[in-house]
């Protein structure tokens, strides 16, 4: 399961803006096109790893990059053909580079790279090209045919006939994943997980495999394409000698090198088991691998490499290929461990009525990791948190690993500095100063308090149904966790624990929380709509409630300056008391299952939007020209060897451009044929 950054779901807006943010001589922003912004992340701490650890990471990053073409093919049958054709034109083009057709082809290719195919990575709808079929045909026919991905004696004209309807006809393959109720989801989805098979046939095929008495079922269909051959359904399994074998062989080659420099035996076993799975395609072996992986908690370096998430299959069975190589961020993990280690103190001192508190509370420690490479379905767009494995019985019997990716969150934060957002929406230099100085730190801390303590605090009274709050349950639960964090982030205890530097830092979190909850999160909502998503509802609930309760004392105000609305916090200490009061009430609602109170809080504060303020916020946001979706270029790793060819170091650098990186990957890590049957 993935945790996505809030920034990935900002509303769409066009335009190009090149704000280059530079810190420590590293550009965090690379470029912007269509609705996408390309960022760069750093890998702090890499240089301090031992040579063996660096080698391990290097081999795992190579194994990660070798899987790229698999995802292109999974996302659509013609994706590799189209990518390779466009890349050939892009590299050989000798015409006018200011020609709008050429510029539009460049944007289209950049989008294909970003989405690992011709459909939007998030919405899954097919892109409409801004160049003409005549232009594309002219360029294809003018190329040296040897540069084109011609298949089985195809001519360039035949290539055009094959791919033009796919590129230009908006009615063909309009969606990568179709979820519309009542249609054949397989026949109407462009993803390449099924061939010549109807939804009914696929469901019958897999239902016949399932046995409801089996308590440890494998993840049926996870690693294969289901096809019809001579009227019979067969699975083409993705293994070293099966479908995608050319790429999987390379992955295995690098995994074997990684195995030879593993940190310890447990990790060695994990890698060996993964290799066995790639060699056999046996899903029982995959489960054994997942169990070994979830139990390996001592290694500093960790990785995901394989067919993992099933969001790309309309039936949610077949997994897209992805990889993430990472190592534990010791300092940030220490922060979550300190918080978890003091969980009982926080529980005992909260403003909640004693009867709703836990006598014995256990904090959850989530590991903070540093990503070293993003690949497959985690590249260039990525999650900021991952929780694996996905198999339910393995999670129940053996647990799961939950990680947040610290350096990716950091890169989002760095790129947000100077993008004009806070300059537009924060009230004065005082608030902007607080945000610049402390908001990154307190934002992370609030997330930690929310995850490690908030969700785990409090208890239900005996006999209370955990689902008593029904549809309001998740908003109330998120509000509870957020309020626990808000209440404690201002506590002197955090300074004692060394987690906050002084008595001012928390104000950055309070201000941004209210600015977001009262105003700026509305940028993600279309005109005329109300607030639906439960995290957004929770934030508005909290912000609106303290705003109204604090009105007599003017604790928080919405003021107008030059015709624009701003949030002003007049009394931070009283604001904290209000957060505490709401926390006590929300915990009472949860503990007693008070449905009516939950409904009146949510309906009264969390759902409705002030249409005038909403329109103003959308208008101001639009002028900032910010791209709603972000992705990353990877760092480049290079082996340093001595005269005997022995590895002496691994160097990491951050200078590669977006197109440069994509073209290099297409050249160096592209072993699959154009059409994979
Ligand atoms: Zn939560």
């Amino acid at each position: 399961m993935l945790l996505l950054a809030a920034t990935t779901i900002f509303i769409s807006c066009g335009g190009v803006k090149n704000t280059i943010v530079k810190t420590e001589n590293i550009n965090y922003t690379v470029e912007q096109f269509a609705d996408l912004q390309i960022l760069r992340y750093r890998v702090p701490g890499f240089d301090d790893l031992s040579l063996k650890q660096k080698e391990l990471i290097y081999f795992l990053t190579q194994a990660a990059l070798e899987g790229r073409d698999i995802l292109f093919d999974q996302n659509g049958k013609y994706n590799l053909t189209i990518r390779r054709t466009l890349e050939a034109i892009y590299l050989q083009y000798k015409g006018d580079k200011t020609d709008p057709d050429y510029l539009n082809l460049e944007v289209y290719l950049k989008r294909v790279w970003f989405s690992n195919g011709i459909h939007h990575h998030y919405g899954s709808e097919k892109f409409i090209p801004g160049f003409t079929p005549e232009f594309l045909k002219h360029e294809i026919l003018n190329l040296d045919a040897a540069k084109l991905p011609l298949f089985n004696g195809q001519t360039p004209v035949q290539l055009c006939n094959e791919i033009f309807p796919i590129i230009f006809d908006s009615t063909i393959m309009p969606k990568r994943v179709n979820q519309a109720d009542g249609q054949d989801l397989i026949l109407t989805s462009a993803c390449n997980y099924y061939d010549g098979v109807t939804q009914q046939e696929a469901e019958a095929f897999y239902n016949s495999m399932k046995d409801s008495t089996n308590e440890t079922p494998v993840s049926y269909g996870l690693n294969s394409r289901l096809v019809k051959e001579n009227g019979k359904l067969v699975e083409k399994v993705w293994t070293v000698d099966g479908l995608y074998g050319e790429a999987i062989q390379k992955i295995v080659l690098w995994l074997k090198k990684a195995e030879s420099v593993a940190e310890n035996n447990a990790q060695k076993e994990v890698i060996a088991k993964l290799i066995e799975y790639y060699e056999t395609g046996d899903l029982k072996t995959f489960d054994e691998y997942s169990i070994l992986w979830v139990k390996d908690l001592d290694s500093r370096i960790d990785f995901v490499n394989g067919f993992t998430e099933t969001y790309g299959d309309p039936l949610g069975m077949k997994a897209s290929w992805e990889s993430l190589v990472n190592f534990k961020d010791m300092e940030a993990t220490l922060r979550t461990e300190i918080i978890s280690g003091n969980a009982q103190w926080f529980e005992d001192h909260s403003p909640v009525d004693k009867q709703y508190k836990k006598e014995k509370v256990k904090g959850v420690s989530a590991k903070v990791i540093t990503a070293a490479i993003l690949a497959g379905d985690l590249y260039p767009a990525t999650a900021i948190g991952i929780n694996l494995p996905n198999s339910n019985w393995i999670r129940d019997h053996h647990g799961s690993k939950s990680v947040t990716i610290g350096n990716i969150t950091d890169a989002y934060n760095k790129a947000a500095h100077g993008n004009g957002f806070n300059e537009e929406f924060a009230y004065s230099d005082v608030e902007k100063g607080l945000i610049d100085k402390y908001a990154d730190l307190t934002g992370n801390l609030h997330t930690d308090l929310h995850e490690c303590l908030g969700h785990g605090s409090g208890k239900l009274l005996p006999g209370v149904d955990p689902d008593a709050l029904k549809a309001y349950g998740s908003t109330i639960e998120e509000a509870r966790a957020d309020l626990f964090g808000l209440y404690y982030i201002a506590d002197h205890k955090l300074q004692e624990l060394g987690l906050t530097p002084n008595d001012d830092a928390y104000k950055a979190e309070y201000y941004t929380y209210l600015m977001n909850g009262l105003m700026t999160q509305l940028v993600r909502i279309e005109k005329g709509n109300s607030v639906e998503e439960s995290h957004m509802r929770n934030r508005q609930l909290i912000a609106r409630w303290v705003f109204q309760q604090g009105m007599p004392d003017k604790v928080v105000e919405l003021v107008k300056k030059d015709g624009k609305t701003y949030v002003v916090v007049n009394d931070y200490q009283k604001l904290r008391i209000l957060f505490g009061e709401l926390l006590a009430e929300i915990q009472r609602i949860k503990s007693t299952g008070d449905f009516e109170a939950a409904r009146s809080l949510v309906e009264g504060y969390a759902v409705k939007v002030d249409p005038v303020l909403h329109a103003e916020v959308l208008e101001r946001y639009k002028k900032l020209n910010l791209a709603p979706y972000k992705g990353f270029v990877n760092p480049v790793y290079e082996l340093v060897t001595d005269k005997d060819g022995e590895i002496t170091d691994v160097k990491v650098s951050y200078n590669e451009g977006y197109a440069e990186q994509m073209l290099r990957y297409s050249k160096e890590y592209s072993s699959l044929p154009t059409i994979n049957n």
Side-chain angles (χ1 to χ4, degrees):
M1 276 169 282
L2 303 176
L3 173 66
L4 299 177
T7 43
T8 59
I9 45 173
F10 273 1
I11 52 160
S12 139
C13 65
V16 174
K17 192 186 178 204
N18 278 314
T19 324
I20 304 293
V21 181
K22 250 188 151 176
T23 316
E24 298 159 57
N25 289 322
I26 302 211
N27 291 335
Y28 281 90
T29 60
V30 179
E31 62 176 295
Q32 190 166 329
F33 50 87
D35 56 355
L36 306 168
Q37 186 183 30
I38 307 296
L39 307 176
R40 190 186 296 286
Y41 66 95
R42 295 185 57 209
V43 190
F46 181 79
D47 291 335
D48 303 329
L49 297 172
S50 71
L51 176 58
K52 203 172 154 193
Q53 288 174 321
K54 287 182 190 174
E55 282 181 70
L56 175 59
I57 288 180
Y58 179 82
F59 296 142
L60 290 171
T61 62
Q62 298 299 309
L65 296 174
E66 292 289 1
R68 179 172 177 253
D69 281 358
I70 296 176
L71 181 68
F72 269 86
D73 195 71
Q74 288 181 314
N75 281 346
K77 193 174 181 173
Y78 299 97
N79 283 338
L80 284 171
T81 315
I82 292 171
R83 188 192 85 198
R84 286 170 177 163
T85 303
L86 297 174
E87 284 173 349
I89 296 170
Y90 186 70
L91 287 167
Q92 309 296 320
Y93 186 75
K94 303 220 166 49
D96 175 7
K97 290 203 171 171
T98 62
D99 179 349
D101 272 321
Y102 172 78
L103 291 172
N104 283 321
L105 180 130
E106 187 179 24
V107 168
Y108 183 83
L109 174 57
K110 286 181 174 180
R111 298 183 77 183
V112 169
W113 284 329
F114 193 95
S115 290
N116 298 284
I118 59 171
H119 298 87
H120 196 277
H121 74 289
Y122 192 78
S124 118
E125 72 282 3
K126 192 164 85 176
F127 312 139
I128 307 300
F131 53 89
T132 63
E134 294 72 31
F135 171 79
L136 185 60
K137 189 163 196 176
H138 178 263
E139 292 308 315
I140 289 176
L141 298 183
N142 270 299
L143 268 181
D144 171 6
K147 308 273 185 204
L148 289 169
L150 299 172
F151 200 72
N152 276 352
Q154 213 177 24
T155 66
V157 171
Q158 287 168 330
L159 174 70
C160 292
N161 292 341
E162 182 177 42
I163 62 174
F164 275 36
I166 312 292
I167 296 176
F168 293 102
D169 186 339
S170 62
T171 65
I172 294 177
M173 294 187 160
K175 289 211 97 175
R176 178 166 53 81
V177 189
N178 180 30
Q179 301 277 23
D181 197 29
Q183 300 179 3
D184 186 312
L185 302 184
I186 289 181
L187 296 181
T188 55
S189 293
C191 59
N192 198 13
Y193 294 115
Y194 305 87
D195 202 4
V197 180
T198 66
Q199 180 177 353
Q200 211 180 12
E201 287 170 326
E203 284 172 347
F205 181 83
Y206 286 112
N207 283 339
S208 74
M209 288 185 179
K210 287 175 189 165
D211 167 9
S212 59
T213 61
N214 184 355
E215 284 175 14
T216 59
V218 297
S219 305
Y220 295 104
L222 187 78
N223 64 338
S224 64
R225 183 191 294 160
L226 186 65
V227 303
K228 202 184 261 175
E229 272 180 355
N230 306 320
K232 265 188 73 185
L233 293 189
V234 279
E235 281 187 315
K236 292 199 162 180
V237 182
W238 306 322
T239 63
V240 284
D241 47 17
L243 197 55
Y244 303 143
E246 300 89 341
I248 295 174
Q249 284 163 25
K250 294 254 169 91
I251 294 168
V252 164
L253 199 92
W254 288 111
L255 286 176
K256 284 186 173 160
K257 286 180 192 271
E259 190 189 353
S260 73
V261 290
E263 291 178 276
N264 52 53
N265 275 333
Q267 191 177 55
K268 209 181 172 71
E269 273 182 62
V270 171
I271 301 173
K273 199 48 103 175
L274 179 59
I275 293 171
E276 188 189 327
Y277 165 57
Y278 273 136
E279 285 171 346
T280 61
D282 183 347
L283 288 168
K284 267 210 167 338
T285 308
F286 178 65
D287 285 349
E288 288 163 19
Y289 154 76
S290 298
I291 294 165
L292 289 173
W293 178 80
V294 88
K295 285 185 176 161
D296 176 17
L297 296 170
D298 295 330
S299 304
R300 175 91 191 266
I301 292 156
D302 205 349
F303 70 99
V304 175
N305 181 307
F307 304 104
T308 311
E309 304 285 357
T310 55
Y311 303 108
D313 170 12
L315 301 189
M317 300 179 76
K318 310 212 164 275
S320 60
W321 194 91
E322 72 178 32
S323 185
L324 166 71
V325 181
N326 65 82
F327 55 95
K328 195 166 168 180
D329 177 341
M330 303 309 249
E331 207 182 300
T333 301
L334 200 61
R335 191 178 71 210
T336 60
E337 284 168 0
I338 290 175
I339 292 170
S340 292
N342 287 277
Q344 193 66 53
W345 186 93
F346 288 107
E347 184 74 357
D348 294 345
H349 291 79
S350 89
V352 164
D353 193 302
K354 195 162 182 294
Q355 58 177 324
Y356 309 134
K357 288 184 184 180
K358 272 197 179 118
E359 293 79 21
K360 276 223 173 322
V361 61
K362 202 178 166 298
V364 180
S365 49
K367 171 165 90 159
V368 182
I369 59 166
T370 303
I373 206 101
L374 306 168
D377 222 353
L378 289 169
Y379 170 83
T382 183
I384 56 165
I386 300 182
N387 191 319
L388 289 174
N390 285 328
S391 161
N392 281 322
W393 72 264
I394 298 181
R395 296 169 72 84
D396 290 346
H397 295 201
H398 303 279
S400 66
K401 276 195 223 175
S402 179
V403 301
T404 54
I405 314 177
N407 58 331
I408 295 295
T409 310
D410 190 51
Y412 278 127
N413 288 340
K414 290 272 182 8
H417 286 294
N419 72 3
F421 189 84
N422 290 328
E423 287 72 8
E424 174 61 36
F425 289 105
Y427 179 59
S428 77
D429 288 344
V430 176
E431 287 81 6
K432 283 169 213 160
L434 280 170
I435 292 170
D436 279 344
K437 232 171 162 169
Y438 304 118
D440 292 356
L441 177 118
T442 55
N444 285 337
L445 201 51
H446 184 254
T447 306
D448 294 341
L449 292 165
H450 174 117
E451 300 292 349
C452 302
L453 300 178
H455 282 305
S457 72
K459 67 171 182 194
L460 298 184
L461 292 187
V464 172
D465 176 2
D467 297 322
L469 305 180
K470 298 185 191 121
Y472 302 110
S474 59
T475 298
I476 292 294
E477 177 56 22
E478 291 308 321
R480 204 172 69 87
D482 260 4
L483 285 162
F484 205 91
L486 288 166
Y487 180 77
Y488 275 118
I489 202 161
D491 202 289
H492 199 73
K493 179 80 175 176
L494 264 64
Q495 270 184 74
E496 272 171 46
L497 294 172
L499 298 171
T500 48
N502 55 43
D503 284 326
D504 278 333
Y506 78 90
K507 293 176 184 169
E509 178 62 23
Y510 277 23
Y511 189 80
T512 51
Y513 196 94
L514 289 180
M515 181 174 90
N516 185 53
L518 290 172
M519 289 179 57
T520 53
Q521 72 166 356
L522 296 176
V523 304
R524 284 187 243 155
I525 293 179
E526 279 178 52
K527 226 175 210 157
N529 290 358
S530 49
V531 184
E532 300 281 348
E533 200 272 329
S534 56
H535 290 83
M536 290 181 71
R537 282 188 167 187
N538 128 57
R539 292 180 200 126
Q540 179 167 308
L541 191 170
I542 293 173
R544 286 256 156 219
W545 191 90
V546 295
F547 173 68
Q548 289 196 5
Q549 301 304 309
M551 253 180 194
D553 300 326
K554 295 191 172 167
V555 179
V556 181
E557 287 181 285
L558 285 171
V559 301
K560 286 257 185 195
K561 190 169 73 175
D562 304 328
K564 294 177 180 178
T565 311
Y566 296 90
V567 172
V568 175
V569 177
N570 294 312
D571 191 334
Y572 283 94
Q573 273 306 312
K574 279 213 180 107
L575 181 54
R576 186 188 182 208
I577 293 167
L578 290 173
F579 285 142
E581 285 173 13
L582 184 56
L583 172 60
E585 171 61 4
I586 294 258
Q587 183 62 57
R588 183 198 66 75
I589 291 171
K590 172 102 183 177
S591 293
T592 60
D594 188 344
F595 176 81
E596 276 310 316
R599 184 169 72 175
S600 90
L601 267 185
V602 175
E603 296 294 345
Y605 294 93
V607 180
K608 283 179 238 84
V609 174
D610 171 355
V612 180
L613 182 62
H614 189 197
E616 180 197 320
V617 169
L618 288 178
E619 193 55 37
R620 287 163 71 184
Y621 181 72
K622 199 174 157 201
K623 286 193 184 133
L624 297 173
N625 267 332
L626 299 177
Y629 302 101
K630 327 265 183 204
F632 293 88
V633 290
N634 279 316
V636 180
Y637 296 89
E638 229 177 316
L639 289 180
V640 184
T641 49
D642 64 14
K643 58 178 176 12
D644 304 319
E646 288 289 310
I647 299 168
T648 57
D649 199 6
V650 181
K651 287 264 171 255
V652 57
S653 61
Y654 308 98
N655 305 311
E656 200 165 33
Y658 176 67
E660 199 187 345
Q661 179 157 92
M662 289 297 180
L663 289 167
R664 182 170 67 84
Y665 286 178
S666 294
K667 196 170 157 211
E668 294 177 6
Y669 305 97
S670 190
S671 40
L672 286 192
T674 293
I675 296 289
N676 291 273
N677 283 321

